[in-house]
Amino acid sequence: MPKRPDVAAGILGKWPQIQGRRWIILQPGARWLNKRWPAEHFAELARRLAAKNGDLNFAILGGTEDEALGRVIAHAVPGRSLDLTGKLSLPEMVEWVRFSELMVTNDTGPMHVAAALGKRVVALFGPTEPARTGPYGQIEHALQLDLPCVPCMRSRCTYFKPLECLRALSPAAVFDSVGKRLGEAV
């Protein structure tokens, strides 16, 4: 994916605070509702990462349909979060990913963008199969629970504990994985 210096310059003009800071991308949305790790889990992950790493900042990506998710997460670490849901064009999203150190994401298109850019990814999987749709070249960093229903490959959950495949994936487990990807002891 070629660099777009004009787009990057536009981003720096809109959000000058990104320069010289460490950014983690959080991608809470997904096309299927049952592919979304709970926003409250993303918020808890951000709180844990912020407490452990005083220099980390969080950019929350997503479309307009993800704005409620973005607000929940940004509220968890005010002053260190930038809620960009519904505010970016596709080229701007790509350049934001390029500015970041790592992305924590559901099984989404932006996950593939991050992988294509060679960014570190921690991918959260529920009903889909990481071997089929996981981040290229980083499949070992896809987290998925071992439940009888996983992967179901269905757009609607039919398990007796709805959305358990993602709800039971703890913020602590994702925190540990992020720490390892960043090369930091947690």
Side-chain angles (χ1 to χ4, degrees), residues 6 14 16 27 34 40 48-49 58-59 80 83 88 111 120 126 130 162 175:
D6 55 326
K14 287 182 189 177
Q27 174 67 51
N34 66 323
E40 296 76 19
R48 287 173 181 246
L49 289 168
F58 308 93
R80 292 177 56 192
D83 181 3
L88 300 177
M111 172 191 70
R120 291 174 280 195
F175 173 79

Side-chain angles (χ1 to χ4, degrees), residues 138-173:
Q138 300 186 51
I139 198 72
E140 67 277 11
H141 302 292
L143 304 180
Q144 187 171 50
L145 296 176
D146 185 20
L147 294 173
C149 61
V150 172
C152 67
M153 302 302 290
R154 294 183 181 156
S155 61
R156 294 182 194 269
C157 183
T158 59
Y159 193 57
F160 77 97
K161 286 180 154 182
L163 305 176
E164 184 70 5
C165 61
L166 287 167
R167 286 188 176 142
L169 182 56
S170 74

